[in-house]
Amino acid sequence: MASSDSSPHDLDHDSQTPEQEEISTSPWATTSPLIPDPSVPPTLAITNNSRINRPLATHSSLSPSSYTAYLRHVQYGTYHSLPSCLLALDFTFRFPTTSTSRFSSAEITLTFTHTTSPSKPSLPSASPSYDPIISNFAPVSIIGPPQARTNSNTFEIAAPLTLFDTPFGLGPSVGVTPRWAKETIKMEEGQAELHGYLAQDDDHDEGANSVAWDMAENPVSKGGIFRSFRGVVLLTLPRPGEPFWMKVEVKPVVKFSLDPKRWLAQRLIGKRDDPILLDGKTGLGDSVCHGFEAFDAEDFPWDAVLKGPGQLGEN
């Protein structure tokens, strides 16, 4: 099982709690961030302890919803003759369908930095030029099947009609009330979506060291985001053979939480996970792929890398 290398102390089900969402009609839901108390030092949910290729990247659970990210594949080789690293991660989301605990949207970010000390993930990279550069990634976009919904709106106007005046100056007497109505029928279609992009900053002007995916549910059916997908990243290594960190962040949004105080209490803890340590040498995953050195070879088995999430314990 992918999480077998983590000890019971590694996993804290209250970590990285999903945020509340403001009421919004946009399919790309906005959030109302809950700011952690700066006087409370953040605690770690998963500690790396100098482990190489830690399988469990991140996990959080607040019943009945949870999310998990597993590192499935690590391979070193070349891409366009440059030293490179190929990575694959599986992301899974568990939630009741069409409930107030479903994930209506999510943001996933992978950030890669050169390792200053394998035992101290909090130390920054010595130089942005040392950090891995993202050469390619997948998926760029996933669009779910369209689902239609018919909306029927009725516009109605009612106006009183005076039949006769009452005596003694008491004003008109109202008799019948004529009405005019028009029904408008509109067909709406919606799709669940996932879109990926490079997240570049001013310090990494030679190439992005982060990639992100935005997920949104179908705004018509409102059944939640995709429940799983595999993310694949191909890195160029400026300092081949040297270790580097991969920080995995998952930020889902829960649609209309039943108990906002519960989310607030969890969010204020400010927990986070250690990044994953990759040593620039040790591989992980499908042995078929590891028989190839060049990732841009015509016969490289990309199907084995790009396949969707498998059963727990599979690589």
Side-chain angles (χ1 to χ4, degrees):
M1 185 175 287
S3 60
S4 60
D5 290 347
S6 60
S7 68
H9 299 289
D10 289 342
L11 186 61
D12 189 322
H13 294 294
D14 294 333
S15 65
Q16 296 183 341
T17 302
E19 299 173 358
Q20 277 185 271
E21 181 187 21
E22 293 179 341
I23 297 177
S24 172
T25 57
S26 169
W28 295 99
T30 59
T31 62
S32 177
L34 301 174
I35 303 174
D37 187 346
S39 65
V40 179
T43 57
L44 294 173
I46 302 178
T47 55
N48 195 70
N49 296 325
S50 300
R51 285 178 292 165
I52 307 299
N53 300 342
R54 188 183 77 234
L56 183 60
T58 187
H59 173 85
S60 186
S61 176
L62 191 59
S63 182
S65 304
S66 65
Y67 63 82
T68 308
Y70 294 100
L71 177 62
R72 296 295 198 185
H73 191 87
V74 180
Q75 183 175 352
Y76 298 95
T78 62
Y79 183 65
H80 296 317
S81 301
L82 297 174
S84 301
C85 177
L86 177 63
L87 302 168
L89 297 94
D90 286 344
F91 299 91
T92 60
F93 299 86
R94 175 179 174 269
F95 53 87
T97 305
T98 62
S99 78
T100 51
S101 295
R102 75 183 189 275
F103 293 140
S104 60
S105 64
E107 178 185 348
I108 298 171
T109 306
L110 306 181
T111 304
F112 302 90
T113 55
H114 183 261
T115 300
T116 302
S117 171
S119 61
K120 297 179 179 179
S122 61
L123 292 180
S125 171
S127 170
S129 64
Y130 294 174
D131 297 339
I133 298 172
I134 296 174
S135 303
N136 211 336
F137 71 93
V140 174
S141 185
I142 299 177
I143 305 296
Q147 293 186 342
R149 176 180 63 185
T150 301
N151 279 345
S152 177
N153 297 318
T154 301
F155 180 74
E156 185 177 275
I157 295 179
L161 179 64
T162 302
L163 295 182
F164 55 88
D165 291 334
T166 58
F168 313 112
L170 296 179
S173 174
V174 178
V176 298
T177 302
R179 296 178 181 272
W180 176 84
K182 180 180 180 181
E183 184 180 31
T184 302
I185 298 177
K186 181 175 64 173
M187 182 71 71
E188 295 180 328
E189 278 195 353
Q191 296 171 293
E193 299 183 16
L194 179 150
H195 299 283
Y197 57 91
L198 295 177
Q200 196 161 359
D201 56 38
D202 293 342
D203 291 333
H204 296 86
D205 53 6
E206 295 294 328
N209 72 321
S210 294
V211 62
W213 289 278
D214 287 335
M215 306 174 69
E217 69 176 353
N218 186 323
V220 173
S221 62
K222 298 181 179 179
I225 59 177
F226 294 122
R227 292 185 177 272
S228 64
F229 81 97
R230 169 162 289 192
V232 176
V233 180
L234 185 58
L235 303 171
T236 298
L237 304 177
R239 299 176 74 88
E242 296 187 7
F244 59 95
W245 297 110
M246 175 175 64
K247 184 175 180 59
V248 181
E249 296 178 285
V250 180
K251 299 177 181 178
V253 171
V254 175
K255 190 74 171 180
F256 306 129
S257 170
L258 287 176
D259 189 356
K261 293 181 180 178
R262 190 179 185 195
W263 295 115
L264 177 61
Q266 301 296 336
R267 186 66 180 172
L268 286 177
I269 297 174
K271 293 183 178 178
R272 65 173 185 265
D273 297 324
D274 268 351
I276 295 176
L277 179 63
L278 301 112
D279 65 356
K281 305 170 186 176
T282 306
L284 172 74
D286 198 319
S287 58
V288 175
C289 301
H290 285 277
F292 292 79
E293 174 70 19
F295 299 132
D296 50 354
E298 291 185 1
D299 55 349
F300 185 83
W302 281 107
D303 287 346
V305 178
L306 296 172
K307 68 180 181 180
Q311 297 297 320
L312 294 182
E314 291 185 353
N315 287 324

